[in-house]
Every structure is written in structure tokens, then in C-alpha cells.
Amino acid sequence: MQVVAAASEADALATLGAYFDALSRALAVPVEGLRKRCLVRFELGAPGDAAGWVWELRAAPDAAGGVTSPGDAGGAASETADVTISCTLQHFLEIASGRLKPAAAMLRGLIRVRGD
């Protein structure tokens, strides 16, 4: 899926929603080659704002997975994630569109990855 720059926060959220919907459709079947079930949490915030949005991606070698949004970053998460990726909404869209490389974003402190 091609991700393009968004003009406003509402546009960015719509683009992000479409991106995660496409991921959810791709994960609707078991993931071949995956060794165990996993939960990846994306915590995406607005620049300078501690609050934000959360999406959880579930994948499994033996069952259908998908992507859900359990609520905002201040809400309770459903369970402990294997990996949590945190960054601003804009930086995530830049990574998803290919304008920002994930390794460069980590080195510059623009994204944070916690977990196994």
C-alpha cells in the first residue's frame, strides 16, 4: 500500500486507518513461517503531545490475526505486547511512505522500540 503525506491530522488518521486496515486484511490468515503468536503495539502521538493513538497488530502461525485499536494511548491496553513501537503520527507516516528509514529514525531518536 502506498502511503502519501497527509495535509491535516484528520487526513493523517484516515491514511493510517487505511494502512492498518490493509495490514489487518493481510493478517486474516495464519502467517506462514511465524514461530509463535505475537502482539505488536504501535503508540502514535501528536508532536509535543503525550496522548495519542494505539493500534495492536496480532499475528499467529496457526490462527487468523488482525489489527485493532483498543483506544487512545492513555487507555488501558488489552495485554502485554511483545514489542511496542512509539513515535509521532507524522514520523510513522514518513516511515510507512519510505521517506524516512526506520534505522535512521531510531538513530535520531524519532522512534522508540521496546520489547522482545
Side-chain angles (χ1 to χ4, degrees):
M1 173 179 187
Q2 179 67 26
V3 178
V4 296
S8 69
E9 184 176 288
D11 290 342
L13 287 173
T15 299
L16 198 57
Y19 179 77
F20 281 121
D21 285 345
L23 278 175
S24 192
R25 286 190 301 277
L27 293 169
V29 296
V31 178
E32 189 176 321
L34 193 63
R35 294 185 201 186
K36 65 176 188 163
R37 292 175 181 252
C38 66
L39 169 62
V40 179
R41 184 169 296 126
F42 295 88
E43 296 176 347
L44 308 175
D49 185 12
W53 305 272
V54 175
W55 278 270
E56 292 180 342
L57 179 148
R58 286 180 172 72
D62 57 353
V67 179
T68 58
S69 180
D72 63 8
S78 59
E79 61 187 272
T80 302
D82 297 298
V83 175
T84 300
I85 300 169
S86 304
C87 64
T88 67
L89 180 58
Q90 187 60 41
H91 289 133
F92 185 82
L93 290 174
E94 289 175 7
I95 291 167
S97 69
R99 290 191 317 270
L100 178 62
K101 296 194 182 310
M106 284 193 66
L107 290 172
R108 292 173 48 200
L110 301 176
I111 65 173
R112 190 170 112 189
V113 179
R114 299 181 312 271
D116 186 14

